Amino acid sequence: MSLISSNFFTSERTKAMSCTFDNWSPKFVRKIFELKDNAENTLKDPDGAQVLREYMEFRRSGDKNLAEQYLDVYEKCAVLLRERQRSLTKDEVDELVDMGLSRNKELELTYVLNKDRIAINQVLCGIQKTCVNEIWGSSDFRDFQTDVSKKWQNIKSSSCF
């Protein structure tokens, strides 16, 4: 399912995709609406993260912008944090760099590569916090919040929800 803003209903592509947006249940829209005020909660929720990603992808023209890169890095860190039984590899650090990880965060991770898992997790959590803050401050996230609010208001005004 894809989130399509009512602001985008002018292009043919958007009109073609509007049926997916319209098929959201009021319960699902409410869930996303309740998540949208906090970037961290949105990213921690699988549905919230997926909708935000699709929203950003839909709006993109060309290469990924910084907010999308931060989302990629955030999600990769989440995967690495779930893998508690092993060390981080240089290849995984390189993958994060390819996704857009900053040089200073790369150096922090490289420094803890041979340390215990607690040190690695602390750095990964710090990277996620940076990602959340950057996504929170992005125009993509502000537009996402606005469009989800509009969709929820439309549902509330057109039904007995």
Side-chain angles (χ1 to χ4, degrees):
M1 82 185 80
S2 296
L3 176 64
I4 309 295
S5 165
S6 57
N7 294 343
F8 296 114
F9 282 108
T10 55
S11 73
E12 290 303 313
R13 177 179 175 206
T14 305
K15 289 177 186 174
M17 294 179 69
S18 68
C19 60
T20 304
F21 185 65
D22 293 338
N23 287 336
W24 281 12
S25 70
K27 183 178 178 181
F28 186 79
V29 174
R30 183 178 184 168
K31 175 184 177 180
I32 302 303
F33 174 77
E34 290 171 352
L35 291 171
K36 61 110 179 115
D37 286 329
N38 183 304
E40 185 172 14
N41 290 344
T42 301
L43 295 175
K44 284 184 177 180
D45 182 87
D47 291 332
Q50 178 184 351
V51 168
L52 178 59
R53 173 170 295 288
E54 290 177 0
Y55 182 84
M56 289 178 171
E57 287 173 355
F58 176 76
R59 291 171 42 118
R60 180 185 334 135
S61 58
D63 294 337
K64 288 183 179 183
N65 65 24
L66 284 175
E68 283 183 276
Q69 291 174 20
Y70 281 113
L71 181 56
D72 290 343
V73 170
Y74 178 92
E75 290 176 340
K76 180 62 179 179
C77 287
V79 168
L80 295 172
L81 282 164
R82 285 191 297 267
E83 298 174 3
R84 297 175 182 259
Q85 300 303 318
R86 63 176 189 79
S87 291
L88 195 65
T89 67
K90 179 66 174 135
D91 287 342
E92 289 166 325
V93 173
D94 291 343
E95 183 180 354
L96 285 166
V97 170
D98 291 343
M99 291 177 173
L101 185 67
S102 69
R103 178 73 175 143
N104 65 335
K105 296 297 182 184
E106 175 190 6
L107 293 173
E108 284 182 52
L109 269 179
T110 302
Y111 178 75
V112 298
L113 273 180
N114 296 319
K115 306 270 186 207
D116 62 20
R117 191 58 199 205
I118 294 170
I120 293 169
N121 287 354
Q122 287 174 335
V123 174
L124 290 171
C125 287
I127 291 169
Q128 281 191 311
K129 182 177 173 122
T130 299
C131 292
V132 167
N133 290 338
E134 293 297 328
I135 292 168
W136 175 258
S138 72
S139 61
D140 279 340
F141 195 79
R142 285 190 303 277
D143 293 345
F144 171 75
Q145 290 174 304
T146 300
D147 289 344
V148 169
S149 294
K150 285 178 185 175
K151 178 63 176 174
W152 177 240
Q153 292 306 317
N154 288 342
I155 287 173
K156 282 180 32 181
S157 66
S158 66
S159 69
C160 297
F161 194 105

